[in-house]
Amino acid sequence: MKRPVWRSGSVVLAVGLALVLSQMLVAQQRPRLRPVPPLNGRVAIAPTTLSTDWLYLDPDSARQEPLVTENAVYVPLRTGKIVALARTDGARLWESAPGVATTAKLHRLGDTLLACASRPAADGSPPGGIVRLLDLTTGVVRREVTLPAPITSRVVEDGVRLYVRLGAAEIAALDPQDFSRRWSVAGDFTEHLTYARGTVFVGTSAGALWALDAGDGRRQWACALGAPPGPAAIGGEMVYCGTSDGEVVAIGRADGRLRWRRRTGAAVMAPPLIAHQQVLVASYDNFLYAFHPQTGELRWQQQMAGRLVSPPSWLTETTLAVAALDDREITVVQAPDGRIVARWQLASERIFSALHVEQGMVVMATERGIAAARLQ
């Protein structure tokens, strides 16, 4: 009687099956990992059409970032005028005299509206700057000041000084009374400035974040990031910001040392939000991320309707309103866990700015003008 002859291939197959079975048994005995939150939680909630309370449609106001206060909405027009609208119903309150197109976002300075513009160059010299201070209630120009260079960043302040970028190569502290320089620092700076606790934080085009003493402009530290940073946010003893190559970084506020860095799928150029023991980050890759502030551990990530270039806006103490660039949707997200609880869509307008939430009303720039709606 002949014994069966086993071929080498059959032996290998049998051994492989045994290994697979043993690994499955071991895996069943291991503790299960925490499930990853859904990346596309939007699909579970159907969008609801959101009717607008009012619209201000003017070609010169299209895609222009408004300044929203408790009573009014101030809109810079491309013609150089500024229009004030009642926040509740959009009624026109006043319209300023013609001016020069603004070079920075409107800024509220006490009971005046600060509008920054560029003065045309003459005889081959570089363009100068103009600052107009308008009365908030009437639009009358109280004062107009010329500067050696236009203000090309948002204005930040501490009650004593105004901090701005002048032109493209200077950070300056200005006296709010006469706009004279208190100090200035030369460099290849971006337009993103943040002030906190006696320090001005600003990025450079070479890919570093600088910390400048707000009193005298002295550089306290510089942290190399490898790509230009977006606006910084301060939480406790840390400074957080995104970069143009898609990273989120945490830096020690006192010493400028890099604590952690995490990568998203695209540029992060919106300022982070620090809340609920998390760092909330909007990325151009369509996702909203939540990181642990001390370790950088990813807590959750949630997919939005499109590219995110503006930070989320607080709707309530625990919910965020998120809008993607060039999209009609407003997504409402629970900040603690990233769960989507509502989706709203404007009937026709596409959003092109951050969402400005004031007393339950959301005001935003669209491709045709300014829209206001109330989320229910």
Side-chain angles (χ1 to χ4, degrees):
M1 181 176 179
K2 293 184 179 179
R3 296 179 178 178
V5 179
W6 295 92
R7 297 183 178 179
S8 60
S10 300
V11 173
V12 171
L13 179 60
V15 173
L17 287 173
L19 288 173
V20 170
L21 289 172
S22 64
Q23 290 174 357
M24 291 175 63
L25 290 173
V26 171
Q28 290 178 354
Q29 297 173 358
R30 293 174 180 167
R32 293 181 179 272
L33 297 176
R34 188 191 313 179
V36 176
L39 301 184
N40 56 346
R42 296 172 56 254
V43 298
I45 299 178
T48 300
T49 300
L50 181 67
S51 59
T52 53
D53 281 33
W54 56 263
L55 294 169
Y56 177 76
L57 303 181
D58 185 316
D60 289 325
S61 69
R63 307 189 187 191
Q64 296 290 92
E65 187 83 26
L67 172 66
V68 181
T69 68
E70 63 276 11
N71 297 316
V73 177
Y74 301 94
V75 186
L77 304 184
R78 290 190 178 86
T79 57
K81 291 183 179 181
I82 296 171
V83 174
L85 308 171
R87 186 188 58 81
T88 53
D89 59 9
R92 184 177 300 205
L93 302 176
W94 54 258
E95 180 178 300
S96 73
V100 182
T102 57
T103 57
K105 293 181 180 180
L106 298 175
H107 179 77
R108 182 176 183 175
L109 186 62
D111 61 352
T112 63
L113 187 67
L114 193 157
C116 309
S118 178
R119 178 166 46 85
D123 301 326
S125 60
I130 299 175
V131 172
R132 291 194 298 163
L133 291 173
L134 289 77
D135 188 283
L136 279 177
T137 57
T138 65
V140 173
V141 178
R142 290 188 183 178
R143 188 156 39 116
E144 184 170 297
V145 180
T146 60
L147 299 174
I151 294 176
T152 54
S153 70
R154 74 185 187 101
V155 179
V156 296
E157 59 172 306
D158 60 1
V160 178
R161 289 171 287 267
L162 307 178
Y163 305 100
V164 299
R165 184 180 74 164
L166 294 177
E170 183 182 5
I171 300 298
L174 305 179
D175 188 312
Q177 300 301 319
D178 58 7
F179 291 88
S180 61
R181 279 189 181 92
R182 294 288 187 87
W183 55 257
S184 65
V185 177
D188 187 14
F189 298 109
T190 69
E191 72 273 20
H192 305 303
L193 272 74
T194 303
Y195 168 84
R197 304 181 191 178
T199 304
V200 177
F201 301 93
V202 61
T204 70
S205 299
L209 185 70
W210 285 24
L212 304 175
D213 186 287
D216 57 15
R218 177 178 53 85
R219 191 175 77 176
Q220 298 173 341
W221 50 257
C223 182
L225 303 177
I234 288 74
E237 297 305 313
M238 303 280 266
V239 181
Y240 305 95
C241 68
T243 70
S244 61
D245 68 355
E247 285 195 316
V248 182
V249 299
I251 303 166
R253 186 174 63 86
D255 57 14
R257 291 178 55 192
L258 191 66
R259 296 296 196 268
W260 55 259
R261 64 196 313 163
R262 300 291 180 266
R263 182 168 292 280
T264 71
V268 177
M269 301 310 288
L273 295 179
I274 298 95
H276 299 282
Q277 291 77 51
Q278 300 178 123
V279 180
L280 304 169
V281 174
S283 174
Y284 198 67
D285 67 0
N286 299 25
F287 282 88
L288 183 65
Y289 295 86
F291 299 97
H292 189 286
Q294 299 300 320
T295 67
E297 173 194 4
L298 179 63
R299 293 290 184 80
W300 54 260
Q301 56 182 346
Q302 188 62 268
Q303 188 175 26
M304 297 293 109
R307 309 297 188 186
L308 302 181
V309 296
S310 300
S313 300
W314 290 107
L315 195 59
T316 68
E317 291 184 356
T318 59
T319 58
L320 297 162
V322 186
L325 178 68
D326 195 13
D327 193 86
R328 294 186 294 118
E329 181 170 315
I330 298 174
T331 308
V332 181
V333 180
Q334 290 277 16
D337 58 10
R339 184 168 59 92
I340 291 177
V341 295
R343 293 174 61 199
W344 302 90
Q345 280 191 347
L346 298 178
S348 60
E349 305 300 315
R350 300 198 315 275
I351 302 169
F352 279 86
S353 78
L355 301 177
H356 302 271
V357 182
E358 184 68 37
Q359 300 177 14
M361 179 170 283
V362 181
V363 180
M364 68 218 87
T366 75
E367 83 276 19
R368 296 195 300 158
I370 305 298
R374 193 176 298 278
L375 299 183
Q376 301 174 354

